[in-house]
Amino acid sequence: MPNLSTTEFSELWTDKPFILTDPVKSWKLWRVWDQGSMRESYGDIKFRAEAVDWPFEAYLDYMDNTADESPLYLFDHLFVEKMNLTVGTNGDYCVPECFGQDLFASLGENRPDSRWLIIGPERSGSTFHKDPNATSAWNAVIRGSKYWIMFPTSRVYPPPPGVYVSEDQSEVTSPLSIAEWLLEFHAEARATAGCVEGICHAGEVLHVPSGWWHLVVNLSPSIAITQNFVPQAHLPEVLAFLKDKPDQVSGFKKKIADPYGLFLQKMKEQHPEILQTAIQQLERAKEGRKRKWDELVKGHDEHEALDDDSNGFSFGFGGADEDDVP
């Protein structure tokens, strides 16, 4: 679809993946960025490609010539500062209107890492993962194209085929490379309930809802910008993640000893009504889980009581004279 308003997104689309075709095409970067212009402007600047900082010119040379099955992926969260970009309506790029509400913005300079420049050759990409801290995300393709395959997280749906998750979801095991997963599990995954797939082309932006598993692979050399955010609809999930999984929280500066406490404080100061609504939603969800547990326990106790009253149970093949089994 071309675009969404903030209201349309918040009321209908926060839990659904989708692609918008218009917002990116208004960006200055859409008009001026390609490998040639970026090499000329930023060739000496170092960017992070996985665990290594590369001069951009050297990475572009690698990108143009690699035959690696799993090429290194440039993924840099300081690109705005390094490239001296301006972000906003009249800047080099801006957040699409419908994704404008971001409650992590209440943290100011203490917010976790939230935006990345992503560049890679054909075949590069990311294996299955969820976005950090239960955030939602948008991913805007400026050059190239990306294949996405995604799965929701719920009690109804298991993890994607070929992906194995520890009980607390802190550890994820999957095939070593995207190519291995595609060869072994792609056909099964496409037939699995909940699967959503699509191609995001240059000039388009894709929405990744909070908690969704996703794998991404570049179908051609690609340049993209992505950003994580917290819409009001998913504030309860973010609060629960920060509080209940502190060992999995990521992206905060080392000086932030209690991300949950800091976020709670800032939300109380700046958005008290939104925070109160989210806390009430969490409490209702907790009460619902407790009620289901109580019903299960009650049902089990009643079943045991019936067994006690019958002094055993019977099984047989239709006759009425079989002996009871104690």
Side-chain angles (χ1 to χ4, degrees):
M1 63 185 122
N3 211 340
L4 285 174
S5 68
T6 303
T7 301
E8 289 170 327
F9 173 68
S10 63
E11 291 183 354
L12 299 171
W13 291 94
T14 55
D15 293 318
K16 302 173 185 176
F18 59 84
I19 290 174
L20 300 179
T21 57
D22 281 0
V24 175
K25 292 167 186 168
S26 68
W27 292 0
K28 178 181 176 182
L29 295 185
W30 161 252
R31 298 191 298 272
V32 302
W33 266 12
D34 57 32
Q35 287 189 48
S37 66
M38 295 180 76
R39 181 189 292 267
E40 183 176 341
S41 298
Y42 312 115
D44 294 335
I45 298 175
K46 289 186 176 181
F47 294 94
R48 176 60 56 97
E50 301 191 20
V52 179
D53 289 327
W54 294 58
F56 191 53
E57 187 168 21
Y59 180 78
L60 290 177
D61 288 340
Y62 164 81
M63 181 172 163
D64 289 339
N65 295 288
T66 184
D68 293 350
E69 178 186 285
S70 301
L72 296 175
Y73 207 22
L74 189 150
F75 207 84
D76 194 288
H77 74 279
L78 295 174
F79 73 99
V80 168
E81 296 79 6
K82 292 177 179 179
M83 303 168 94
N84 196 30
L85 301 178
T86 55
V87 183
T89 303
N90 298 313
D92 295 294
Y93 78 94
C94 63
V95 175
E97 176 191 355
C98 64
F99 306 133
Q101 184 189 50
D102 179 7
L103 296 173
F104 262 166
S106 64
L107 292 168
E109 64 178 14
N110 291 320
R111 69 166 302 147
D113 298 337
S114 61
R115 58 193 179 194
W116 290 265
L117 172 67
I118 309 174
I119 300 178
E122 181 181 350
R123 302 181 308 282
S124 61
S126 298
T127 55
F128 271 109
H129 64 284
K130 299 179 188 180
D131 282 311
N133 305 323
T135 54
S136 302
W138 54 264
N139 187 296
V141 181
I142 298 172
R143 294 291 179 268
S145 58
K146 295 175 178 286
Y147 170 73
W148 293 75
I149 185 165
M150 310 170 69
F151 293 85
T153 296
S154 76
R155 292 181 175 85
V156 177
Y157 300 113
V163 177
Y164 307 96
V165 185
S166 62
E167 187 173 349
D168 65 357
Q169 299 195 9
S170 63
E171 297 182 14
V172 179
T173 303
S174 62
L176 295 178
S177 72
I178 294 171
E180 288 178 327
W181 185 88
L182 291 170
L183 286 170
E184 295 183 31
F185 297 104
H186 190 219
E188 178 186 351
R190 297 181 76 187
T192 299
C195 177
V196 175
E197 60 177 342
I199 296 174
C200 193
H201 298 278
E204 299 178 344
V205 57
L206 179 140
H207 171 242
V208 182
S210 170
W212 277 60
W213 292 100
H214 50 286
L215 174 148
V216 192
V217 59
N218 287 329
L219 302 178
S220 59
S222 297
I223 301 169
I225 290 173
T226 189
Q227 184 159 323
N228 294 91
F229 66 104
V230 181
Q232 181 176 345
H234 288 295
L235 178 59
E237 290 92 331
V238 173
L239 289 171
F241 188 95
L242 296 179
K243 180 182 179 182
D244 300 336
K245 301 181 178 181
D247 57 321
Q248 297 177 41
V249 171
S250 64
F252 285 86
K253 296 179 177 68
K254 291 182 179 179
K255 67 179 183 180
I256 308 299
D258 180 13
Y260 171 72
L262 178 63
F263 187 41
L264 205 64
Q265 173 192 337
K266 294 300 182 182
M267 286 295 298
K268 285 179 181 177
E269 294 171 0
Q270 300 175 38
H271 306 287
E273 293 181 359
I274 292 176
L275 176 62
Q276 185 60 34
T277 299
I279 290 173
Q280 289 170 352
Q281 290 174 321
L282 286 170
E283 289 174 347
R284 285 196 297 270
K286 183 178 179 180
E287 289 170 2
R289 289 192 297 271
K290 183 179 185 299
R291 188 160 52 248
K292 287 182 179 179
W293 174 253
D294 289 344
E295 289 171 357
L296 286 170
V297 171
K298 181 181 178 183
H300 180 264
D301 291 345
E302 290 175 349
H303 179 72
E304 286 193 338
L306 287 172
D307 286 348
D308 291 341
D309 291 342
S310 65
N311 295 316
F313 65 92
S314 299
F315 71 96
F317 298 95
D321 298 327
E322 290 87 352
D323 293 333
D324 285 346
V325 178

